[in-house]
């Protein structure tokens, strides 16, 4: 992973000015999600005049700011509001712009088409939490539930709109899908998003009858792995159904 750090170099003049102004707004009660403060000392150009700050405080962005940020913004808009990012990750496309938060976490922001925010991910150590991703249509969990609402009656045609064309072409058979003839949704985890990869993995517990079972066989409880992706219209679709495993 290619991580470029800006620590030790000082924030750019426009970013530092924006952050100092935000800190002033914080004092007057209009902080916009900027909370914690840390020492900072630099000289910057503001409206053409050099200004020396010794030591001043600058506001550090909070998680709340990124939870509530205007989703029509770009990375440049965020920089104008809270100052420059601290790191960037160029190992994936799109590039991730990283802000350090006052609670010790990090916010990783990606631009999408049209230079509007595509995703915001909160990281803490090795864990990632998808805070926001641009999409149209139902949420991933609703796609999964709609898929299994049709699966419980083996209505394969009604299941197809929830799936990618690839999955339909490969896994949909005359009397089963991925070796499953009938399935009912029981529960689902919160999913894990692959940053920069448009892949969302869920483990779903279902009761099912597999294609090799007789009509009179009782339904068994198993767990399947579902991978969802965004199509060209940014709708979530099921792209892969893993082999069921016994609970």
């Amino acid at each position: 992973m290619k991580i470029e750090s800006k620590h030790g170099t000082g924030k750019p003049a426009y970013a530092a000015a924006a952050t100092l102004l935000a800190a002033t707004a914080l004092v007057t009660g209009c902080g916009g999600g900027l909370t914690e403060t840390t020492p900072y000392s630099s000289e910057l150009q503001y409206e053409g005049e050099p200004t020396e700050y010794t030591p001043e405080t600058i506001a550090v962005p909070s998680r709340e700011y990124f939870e509530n940020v205007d989703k029509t913004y770009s990375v440049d808009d965020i920089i104008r509001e809270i100052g420059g990012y601290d790191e960037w990750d160029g190992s994936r496309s799109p590039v991730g712009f990283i802000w350090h938060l006052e609670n010790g976490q990090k916010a990783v922001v990606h631009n999408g088409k049209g230079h509007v925010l595509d995703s915001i991910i909160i990281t803490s150590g090795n864990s990632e939490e998808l805070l926001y991703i641009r999409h149209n249509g139902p949420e991933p969990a609703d796609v999964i539930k709609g898929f299994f609402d049709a699966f419980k009656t083996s209505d394969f045609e009604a299941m197809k709109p929830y799936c990618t064309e690839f999955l339909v072409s490969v896994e949909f058979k005359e009397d089963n899908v991925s070796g499953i003839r009938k399935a009912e949704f029981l529960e689902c985890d919160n999913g894990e998003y692959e940053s920069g990869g448009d892949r969302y993995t869920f483990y779903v517990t279902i009761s099912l009858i597999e294609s090799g079972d007789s009509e009179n066989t009782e339904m068994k409880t198993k767990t399947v792995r579902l991978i969802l992706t965004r199509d060209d219209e940014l709708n979530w679709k099921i792209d892969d159904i893993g082999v069921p495993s016994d609970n």
Side-chain angles (χ1 to χ4, degrees):
M1 177 179 290
K2 182 179 180 182
I3 299 290
E4 300 290 342
S5 177
K6 291 169 56 182
H7 288 301
T9 63
K11 291 193 176 184
Y14 71 91
T19 313
L20 287 165
L21 289 173
T24 303
L26 178 65
V27 174
T28 61
C30 302
L34 296 164
T35 56
E36 193 70 30
T37 58
T38 56
Y40 184 82
S41 177
S42 71
E43 181 180 277
L44 56 87
Q45 292 286 130
Y46 182 63
E47 294 183 349
E49 296 294 331
T51 304
E52 185 74 27
Y53 292 94
T54 61
E56 289 284 348
T57 59
I58 63 171
V60 177
S62 68
R63 176 191 170 109
E64 183 182 11
Y65 172 82
F66 288 95
E67 290 175 340
N68 299 309
V69 67
D70 189 329
K71 302 309 186 295
T72 65
Y73 272 15
S74 68
V75 168
D76 289 341
D77 293 318
I78 294 178
I79 290 172
R80 280 193 290 271
E81 283 198 348
I82 64 173
Y85 52 89
D86 296 292
E87 305 172 60
W88 68 281
D89 177 6
S91 64
R92 295 175 177 174
S93 180
V95 170
F97 299 89
I98 304 170
W99 276 266
H100 295 183
L101 306 182
E102 50 85 19
N103 63 358
Q105 295 179 324
K106 297 180 181 180
V108 185
V109 180
H110 298 93
N111 266 344
K113 294 180 180 179
H115 297 287
V116 294
L117 296 182
D118 185 67
S119 64
I120 302 173
I121 299 165
I122 300 297
T123 67
S124 180
N126 294 323
S127 66
E128 291 188 350
E129 175 189 355
L130 181 63
L131 199 62
Y132 167 77
I133 186 167
R134 183 170 299 281
H135 71 279
N136 296 314
E139 297 290 335
D142 295 324
V143 171
I144 293 171
K145 289 179 181 178
F147 176 80
F148 283 106
D149 280 345
F151 212 165
K152 68 183 178 183
T153 60
S154 301
D155 189 345
F156 302 140
E157 287 301 313
M159 294 161 59
K160 289 180 180 179
Y162 297 101
C163 303
T164 62
E165 292 181 3
F166 170 79
L167 182 65
V168 172
S169 66
V170 172
E171 296 296 341
F172 276 65
K173 311 301 181 184
E174 184 177 345
D175 63 348
N176 72 85
V177 174
S178 296
I180 304 171
R181 187 150 41 86
K182 177 181 179 181
E184 293 186 21
F185 176 89
L186 297 177
E187 62 181 3
C188 181
D189 69 2
N190 293 324
E192 182 177 351
Y193 178 69
E194 181 181 318
S195 175
D198 276 357
R199 292 166 61 87
Y200 216 151
T201 301
F202 291 83
Y203 286 90
V204 186
T205 302
I206 58 176
S207 57
L208 78 165
I209 297 176
E210 295 175 284
S211 59
D213 296 334
S214 67
E215 289 289 344
N216 297 324
T217 300
E218 292 186 3
M219 299 184 77
K220 299 173 287 189
T221 299
K222 293 192 174 184
T223 298
V224 296
R225 184 197 72 242
L226 297 186
I227 295 178
L228 278 68
T229 63
R230 291 183 302 172
D231 63 15
D232 292 340
E233 286 74 42
L234 299 184
N235 292 296
W236 285 111
K237 301 285 186 178
I238 299 172
D239 188 55
D240 182 73
I241 303 176
V243 177
S245 60
D246 293 322
N247 287 359

